[in-house]
Amino acid sequence: GEEPLGSRFATLEEFLEASRGRIRLSIELKYYGFDPRLAERVVALVRRVDMAGEVSVISLESSGLSQTQRLAPEIRLGYVVSARLGDVTRLEVDFLSVGKGQFDARLRARAAARGLDVAVWTTNRKDEMLRLMARGADDLVTDDPALAREAVREFGELSDVELILLRLHEAVLR
């Protein structure tokens, strides 16, 4: 018989099915030597389960993102910024995914000017999540989604005065 899901690694298809209608799943294309069929196989699977509108594809490799764009223009694309090499906001993507140490007011402003969202990784403390949202993070990448939901709820309940004070505090610290 089929072994229980908890006793083995889930397949991408199982992750897609489990996330359907619940979360936007980001699928990272990781290349260890460029595989020209990786994006093609991921797009085919996403389309087979009819979830192109519920996922995004992210990668450090702009060639993988370009290939995904050609194959499935309806899938949101995100560039994983590992190092600052020029103005990353000029890339043809829908959002940037940056480490929390790379996220600053200048990047936020440039991304906003180009209509790009910014996802910030990896944050697993509520106080840090609140500070990142105060700085303008659009999405949080975390190992603790329940804590992130709690932080987002708390952030949404802050009064205008509390938001101003939090943002002022963050601006002074940065």
Side-chain angles (χ1 to χ4, degrees):
E2 183 98 6
E3 61 182 299
L5 187 56
S7 65
R8 61 180 175 79
F9 290 110
T11 65
L12 177 55
E13 185 169 4
E14 289 166 337
F15 268 107
L16 287 165
E17 292 295 349
S19 68
R20 182 188 302 278
R22 300 176 66 213
I23 61 169
R24 175 175 287 280
L25 188 64
S26 285
I27 302 167
E28 184 172 358
L29 302 180
K30 290 192 174 192
Y31 294 95
Y32 304 97
F34 189 74
D35 175 357
R37 297 217 46 232
L38 179 60
E40 180 183 321
R41 291 192 314 263
V42 168
V43 166
L45 174 58
V46 167
R47 282 194 167 146
R48 189 174 81 237
V49 297
D50 193 28
M51 290 185 63
E54 295 183 57
V55 302
S56 55
V57 169
I58 63 174
S59 185
L60 286 162
E61 295 290 334
S62 59
S63 54
L65 295 174
S66 296
Q67 186 179 17
T68 302
Q69 172 67 30
R70 282 191 307 276
L71 294 167
E74 71 277 18
I75 293 178
R76 289 185 80 232
L77 299 178
Y79 182 71
V80 179
V81 180
S82 63
R84 289 278 181 89
L85 301 171
D87 184 1
V88 292
T89 65
R90 293 184 179 274
L91 295 168
E92 293 294 321
V93 294
D94 301 299
F95 66 97
L96 299 173
S97 182
V98 302
K100 58 191 173 193
Q102 297 170 300
F103 184 56
D104 59 24
R106 187 173 173 199
L107 177 63
R108 174 68 267 171
R110 280 187 168 169
R114 297 195 187 274
L116 297 176
D117 286 345
V118 180
V120 183
W121 44 269
T122 298
T123 177
N124 293 314
R125 292 190 354 247
K126 187 172 14 172
D127 62 319
E128 186 175 67
M129 292 174 183
L130 291 167
R131 288 195 314 270
L132 290 167
M133 286 186 284
R135 286 187 215 153
D138 297 295
D139 293 301
L140 301 173
V141 178
T142 183
D143 299 316
D144 193 342
L147 183 66
R149 279 194 302 274
E150 187 179 317
V152 168
R153 182 188 50 74
E154 284 183 25
F155 188 77
E157 292 173 354
L158 293 175
S159 70
D160 289 344
V161 172
E162 289 170 319
L163 274 174
I164 290 168
L165 290 173
L166 182 58
R167 288 185 172 127
L168 180 61
H169 182 260
E170 283 306 297
V172 169
L173 288 180
R174 295 298 279 177

